[in-house]
Amino acid sequence: MLLNTGLVVVQLVVGFGFGSLALIGDALHNVGDVLGLALGWAAERLALRPASRRFTYGYRRSTQFASLANGALVLAAGGVVVVEGVQRLGRPAAIQPEPVAWAALAGLVINLASARLFGHGHQHDLNRRAAVLHLLTDAAVSAAVLLSALLIQLTGWSRLDALAAIGVGLAVLWSGWGLLLESGALLLDAVPRGVDLAAIEAALLSLEGVERVHHLHVWSMSTSAVALTAHLQRDPARLADRELLRQARHRLQQLGVGHTTLQLETDEEDPGGEQC
Ligand SMILES: [Zn+2]
Ligand SMILES: [Zn+2]
């Protein structure tokens, strides 16, 4: 993270000092990454605080707010770079390609080294793999800036910098959009990835005496804890409630749901309960 902050400072200084918008775009993206790490770290600290009488779920959701804010920031930065790049196509500014190439090379090396460091021995961890993929994308962006600086050096065609900046800006927009979609889905209580709602419904319906399942809701309380609420209409003569609940909890546990709240009822108690 210290290395990343240093990289951002160098890229910004060189980018502004020698007129390369593409490099500034790359730097802005890295600012987003550093900010994302810092926000994520702060949110994780907050999430560790115990639940209270007012915040009965605790503060675990703060990690989702952090990635939403990060996504919005990255999106804004990408938009600025694209707009500026389009304007620059019309009035290309003189840039000095050599220092720009060195700064881009530094970005390439640092991102590749981080990817190797981070991914080593963690090929099976999904979060780690996503992080490594991100670092490799960043390395590719730096490589594009490096290539454009070298081509400008060779050909003197300075519009290439604006074109590279637009490409970088689009890549930044794309990553911000993905972040926004993912955290937005979590905040809207979407069923978490890897949880099969149809299998859960089928498992509940397969329990002895259960006739209908409704008000079935599955959401993620944090990145690791999955919660469920449901109403089960059952025939109390078929299976004792205590045994039914025990089996239901066991089946749900196997399907990755650890935090369940079930309401047992008969047809008369909730005749129209189908709305949500
Ligand atoms: Zn990045
Ligand atoms: Zn009901």
Side-chain angles (χ1 to χ4, degrees):
M1 183 154 162
L2 215 64
L3 209 60
N4 280 312
T5 315
L7 175 64
V8 166
V9 173
V10 169
Q11 284 186 328
L12 278 179
V13 167
V14 175
F16 277 109
F18 299 95
S20 170
L21 182 62
L23 193 63
I24 294 172
D26 194 12
L28 280 182
H29 169 95
N30 286 325
V31 169
D33 285 356
V34 172
L35 221 62
L37 283 173
L39 270 175
W41 181 81
E44 267 169 37
R45 303 286 306 174
L46 190 62
L48 285 177
R49 286 172 59 168
S52 64
R53 298 296 291 177
R54 179 155 155 73
F55 295 96
T56 58
Y57 281 101
Y59 298 83
R60 284 173 287 201
R61 273 279 164 87
S62 52
T63 55
Q64 296 167 11
F65 275 111
S67 32
L68 189 76
N70 188 225
L73 281 172
V74 170
L75 216 56
V80 167
V81 172
V82 169
V83 168
E84 186 71 15
V86 170
Q87 286 176 348
R88 267 215 192 176
L89 271 182
R91 40 164 183 81
I95 79 157
Q96 278 176 271
E98 203 174 312
V100 172
W102 281 114
L105 185 65
L108 179 63
V109 169
I110 288 177
N111 279 316
L112 280 181
S114 316
R116 208 184 140 63
L117 209 73
F118 220 64
H120 193 70
H122 292 278
Q123 283 87 350
H124 302 296
D125 187 324
L126 207 68
N127 277 329
R128 285 287 180 123
R129 259 175 42 198
V132 168
L133 202 70
H134 181 143
L135 286 166
L136 288 177
T137 319
D138 291 0
V141 168
S142 293
V145 177
L146 175 62
L147 190 69
S148 106
L150 291 177
L151 284 176
I152 292 170
Q153 176 86 300
L154 279 176
T155 64
W157 198 54
S158 55
R159 270 200 180 85
L160 262 180
D161 186 66
L163 282 176
I166 293 172
V168 169
L170 288 177
V172 173
L173 276 177
W174 180 249
S175 70
W177 180 241
L179 212 56
L180 214 61
L181 279 189
E182 191 142 323
S183 50
L186 284 176
L187 284 169
L188 286 175
D189 285 332
V191 175
R193 269 184 224 284
V195 173
D196 185 349
L197 189 67
I200 286 175
E201 192 165 21
L204 290 174
L205 281 170
S206 75
L207 296 168
E208 199 181 338
V210 173
E211 287 148 2
R212 284 200 324 149
V213 176
H214 58 254
H215 290 309
L216 175 60
H217 301 290
V218 181
W219 70 100
S220 85
M221 297 202 301
S222 70
T223 44
S224 51
V226 177
L228 171 148
T229 60
H231 291 191
L232 302 182
Q233 276 186 13
R234 81 330 183 186
D235 178 357
R238 295 267 304 275
L239 187 65
D241 284 345
R242 180 200 284 253
E243 177 60 16
L244 176 63
L245 283 174
R246 195 192 64 76
Q247 290 182 11
R249 267 199 303 272
H250 182 67
R251 289 292 293 126
L252 290 171
Q253 201 82 246
Q254 288 174 332
L255 290 167
V257 179
H259 196 289
T260 58
T261 309
L262 297 170
Q263 173 166 314
L264 302 179
E265 59 196 19
T266 57
D267 197 22
E268 301 91 66
E269 283 165 351
D270 190 6
E274 201 85 72
Q275 294 88 345
C276 69

